[in-house]
Amino acid sequence: MAAEILFLILTISTILIGAIFFKKRPNATRLQLPPSPLALPIIGHFHLLTSLPHQALAKLSSRYGSLLYIYLGSVPCIVASSPEMAKELLKTHETSFLNRPHQTVGSQYLTYGCEAFAFGPHGAYWKFMRKLCMSQLLGGHTLALLQPVRRDEIKQLIQHLAQKADHDGKKSVDIGREIGRMTSNVVSRMLMSERFSEDEDEDEDEAVGKLIQDMAELLGQFNLSDYIWFCRNLDLQGFRKKLEVVRDRFDLMMERIIDEHQNKRKKYGGDSVEDLLDILLDIAQDPSSEIKLSRKNIKALIMELFVAGTDTSSNTAEWALAELINHPNIMQNAVQEIESVIGNKRLVEESDIPNLPYLQAIVKETLRLHPGVAILHRESSEDCVVAGYRIPAKTRLFVNIWAIGRDPNHWENALEFRPERFLSGDGSGRGQLDVRGQHYHLLPFGTGRRVCPGSSLALHIVQTTLAALIQCFEFKIEGGKDKVDMEEGQGLTMPRANPIMCFPLPRNLSFLKNSKN
């Protein structure tokens, strides 16, 4: 009898507590989570991902909808794959999704514990770093000051390819590797006044280029230890070992360069600014600075700028050239535009780009189909309701930029490479579309307060490099092929799976002979 009374009391208590809980938190119980595929124990939905997660997530979204709920191990995630859902999450609910997940082993290790900007949590330090990047490091004044560096490196790229065409006419060129070397030199000279890539056969050249590629690839990989709770202290994929090697190589390089800069500043005074590292050292030594920058802060920010400024720009230029090779009519239209505006007596420059609308349209169309980063990562800082669904705090957000750029509901013939869609006279109204986060069906640089601060630099590099290449050369594919493959490779920055091996055939390079080095 006593046991029955106790059971009755417990039952009534449970009902009362449940009623109170439901009354206080109606949204948390009555609202459902977004649609979700069948998950497996322990691994969740990891079995549905492939080596190219953006493609796998796009296929899932086509079946389950533009807002998808998945578990990667023990970590809850939502996937947004339409412009409408991206706008609601990144604009309407922006304050709930300002943080980026910084608990991953890769971002923690490579950025010295998220001491920089891109992976840092939203707060006073992040706001200071964002202001620093937008106003000083990557602002218009600094970009203009360092424009001669970009011009010089593009000119050296053209001269290098011209020499290979003259002396090695029967040997094909890995054009992506050449663009990557040039971009690496642009970024390294802007950052620290040091040119790493002097010669294609030089070991250090390959080491630095490989270092940047390795960092980008590691930051873009899914690491099981980040998502399955009982694996967090295990290194099942050898991920930590790879991170240690890459970070140690980068740290040695940066320690040497920072020491050299500081010694030079002591010897000659620190008043003159030669590169972005000088700006960071000035701020670190300024007693009135709002935030005191440490050596770790500086190294972490340089690392982020290196990865973001090198691989993304070179990959975009390589994808654009691949599309032009596969579409010779579009290539010819671009060549004719450049010839009519610049002629053949000088090399195209950054100041010419506003007068080349078709070239700008080519770059926009490339960013639509091949964004520099395929998936945008955020994390919810609080419970919220999105499109009528419950999204708990600490839920990872993946915005599939790659899928949004190919959404047939917003793009006619979405998989076709058609730069004309971005011209004012095509009748679609797309001519005024901007790539800097104002239009949610075209988000190659993100949007809102987390938008990429280096978008202007990236566009300067990509547009001018591409214009110079197609002004100066015709590209014949190795093996007599008509087209290059368009297979995507693994990594954070959307690389190509296979190199473009081709012969650069000079058009008219007489202006190079009369120009000074």
Side-chain angles (χ1 to χ4, degrees):
M1 185 69 177
E4 293 176 355
I5 294 174
L6 180 61
F7 177 79
L8 181 62
I9 293 172
L10 288 173
T11 302
I12 294 172
S13 300
T14 301
I15 293 172
L16 289 174
I17 292 172
I20 293 170
F21 181 80
F22 278 111
K23 185 174 181 181
K24 287 187 176 181
R25 295 185 62 191
N27 287 339
T29 53
R30 294 177 186 174
L31 293 178
Q32 297 180 342
L33 294 170
S36 179
L38 181 66
L40 296 180
I42 300 177
I43 67 170
H45 295 97
F46 257 119
H47 65 293
L48 299 177
L49 298 185
T50 65
S51 59
L52 300 175
H54 55 282
Q55 293 189 14
L57 292 174
K59 289 180 181 178
L60 287 174
S61 295
S62 67
R63 180 177 178 184
Y64 291 95
S66 59
L67 187 64
L68 173 70
Y69 192 83
I70 60 174
Y71 269 95
L72 296 182
S74 54
V75 178
C77 310
I78 55 173
V79 182
S81 300
S82 73
E84 295 82 7
M85 204 55 64
K87 184 175 182 179
E88 180 159 358
L89 286 159
L90 300 177
K91 184 177 182 180
T92 306
H93 294 281
E94 182 184 21
T95 55
S96 299
F97 291 94
L98 274 176
N99 281 332
R100 282 206 172 117
H102 61 282
Q103 303 91 339
T104 63
V105 174
S107 61
Q108 282 279 352
Y109 202 84
L110 290 180
T111 63
Y112 300 83
C114 297
E115 291 283 341
F117 170 70
F119 294 96
H122 183 259
Y125 174 74
W126 179 85
K127 291 177 182 178
F128 172 80
M129 295 300 287
R130 178 177 182 269
K131 181 180 177 182
L132 174 63
C133 287
M134 300 292 280
S135 62
Q136 294 191 54
L137 296 179
L138 300 171
H141 175 73
T142 304
L143 293 185
L145 186 68
L146 297 173
Q147 189 270 338
V149 170
R150 301 190 293 276
R151 181 179 59 207
D152 180 59
E153 287 299 332
I154 291 174
K155 182 180 175 183
Q156 290 200 48
L157 169 65
I158 299 302
Q159 291 174 328
H160 177 66
L161 292 177
Q163 289 173 358
K164 292 188 75 66
D166 288 339
H167 302 301
D168 302 313
K170 295 182 179 180
K171 185 178 179 181
S172 61
V173 173
D174 181 347
I175 192 64
R177 180 183 172 191
E178 301 295 344
I179 296 172
R181 181 179 295 111
M182 182 277 297
T183 307
S184 175
N185 280 328
V186 167
V187 175
S188 60
R189 285 180 64 184
M190 290 182 64
L191 285 174
M192 55 195 74
S193 301
E194 191 152 328
R195 193 172 194 269
F196 289 115
S197 302
E198 294 294 342
D199 186 276
E200 66 178 35
D201 298 320
E202 188 177 349
D203 291 339
E204 185 181 359
D205 168 10
E206 293 302 315
V208 173
K210 186 69 164 55
L211 174 62
I212 303 303
Q213 290 177 1
D214 288 346
M215 287 193 291
E217 185 174 333
L218 289 170
L219 285 170
Q221 283 183 0
F222 278 102
N223 177 29
L224 288 175
S225 299
D226 289 328
Y227 295 94
I228 300 177
W229 64 271
F230 61 82
C231 295
R232 284 176 186 165
N233 295 322
L234 304 175
D235 192 16
L236 300 176
Q237 300 160 269
F239 199 71
R240 285 188 178 88
K241 190 176 294 184
K242 294 176 184 177
L243 286 168
E244 288 173 5
V245 172
V246 170
R247 221 286 295 276
D248 288 348
R249 286 167 57 201
F250 177 79
D251 196 70
L252 283 172
M253 179 184 76
M254 285 308 306
E255 286 292 330
R256 172 183 65 79
I257 292 171
I258 292 175
D259 285 343
E260 289 174 356
H261 268 64
Q262 288 181 328
N263 291 335
K264 183 178 178 181
R265 290 160 66 87
K266 288 178 182 177
K267 185 175 181 180
Y268 298 105
D271 295 332
S272 62
V273 173
E274 297 182 359
D275 51 42
L276 303 188
L277 180 54
D278 281 324
I279 296 176
L280 291 174
L281 291 173
D282 282 343
I283 295 170
Q285 296 169 5
D286 183 3
S288 64
S289 176
E290 179 183 344
I291 297 289
K292 181 69 175 177
L293 289 183
S294 67
R295 203 174 177 98
K296 278 187 178 181
N297 295 146
I298 293 173
K299 290 189 290 187
L301 185 57
I302 292 291
M303 189 284 297
E304 288 186 350
L305 292 173
F306 237 132
V307 173
T310 301
D311 257 23
T312 52
S313 297
S314 61
N315 288 343
T316 300
E318 188 180 4
W319 279 115
L321 192 60
E323 292 284 8
L324 291 176
I325 291 172
N326 287 350
H327 298 85
N329 58 321
I330 298 176
M331 171 77 87
Q332 188 56 36
N333 290 340
V335 171
Q336 289 175 356
E337 180 184 61
I338 292 172
E339 286 180 349
S340 66
V341 174
I342 291 106
N344 56 13
K345 293 184 179 180
R346 65 176 179 86
L347 186 64
V348 63
E349 297 194 7
E350 285 182 10
S351 57
D352 296 312
I353 300 302
N355 299 320
L356 301 172
Y358 194 70
L359 178 84
Q360 294 178 61
I362 288 171
V363 173
K364 285 183 180 180
E365 181 72 339
T366 302
L367 289 168
R368 179 183 75 84
L369 290 171
H370 313 285
V373 176
I375 297 177
L376 184 154
H377 298 74
R378 301 281 179 86
E379 184 178 77
S380 59
S381 57
E382 59 189 5
D383 293 351
C384 57
V385 177
V386 176
Y389 294 109
R390 173 171 62 96
I391 309 298
K394 297 296 181 183
T395 299
R396 300 274 176 93
L397 166 63
F398 300 136
V399 180
N400 197 335
I401 305 299
W402 181 88
I404 288 172
R406 295 164 182 250
D407 187 341
N409 295 319
H410 288 270
W411 303 99
E412 184 181 355
N413 300 314
L415 300 184
E416 292 185 13
F417 186 77
R418 291 178 51 206
E420 290 78 9
R421 72 175 85 238
F422 289 104
L423 297 177
S424 299
D426 77 326
S428 69
R430 302 291 193 195
Q432 302 303 315
L433 281 181
D434 186 66
V435 295
R436 303 170 198 260
Q438 300 302 311
H439 307 279
Y440 289 85
H441 44 290
L442 189 64
L443 296 173
F445 297 107
T447 185
R449 279 173 272 187
R450 283 278 186 179
V451 70
C452 174
S455 58
S456 293
L457 173 60
L459 289 172
H460 281 318
I461 293 174
V462 172
Q463 291 175 154
T464 314
T465 301
L466 184 64
L469 287 171
I470 62 181
Q471 177 193 20
C472 297
F473 300 99
E474 178 184 351
F475 295 93
K476 183 180 178 182
I477 309 170
E478 183 183 57
K481 299 177 183 177
D482 294 328
K483 293 182 179 293
V484 296
D485 77 86
M486 302 299 283
E487 184 180 347
E488 297 173 349
Q490 300 180 42
L492 178 70
T493 53
M494 282 284 289
R496 287 177 49 80
N498 303 303
I500 304 175
M501 303 303 298
C502 58
F503 302 94
L505 308 177
R507 298 185 191 274
N508 184 355
L509 301 180
S510 58
F511 59 83
L512 287 179
K513 298 177 183 178
N514 300 322
S515 61
K516 297 180 180 179
N517 290 330

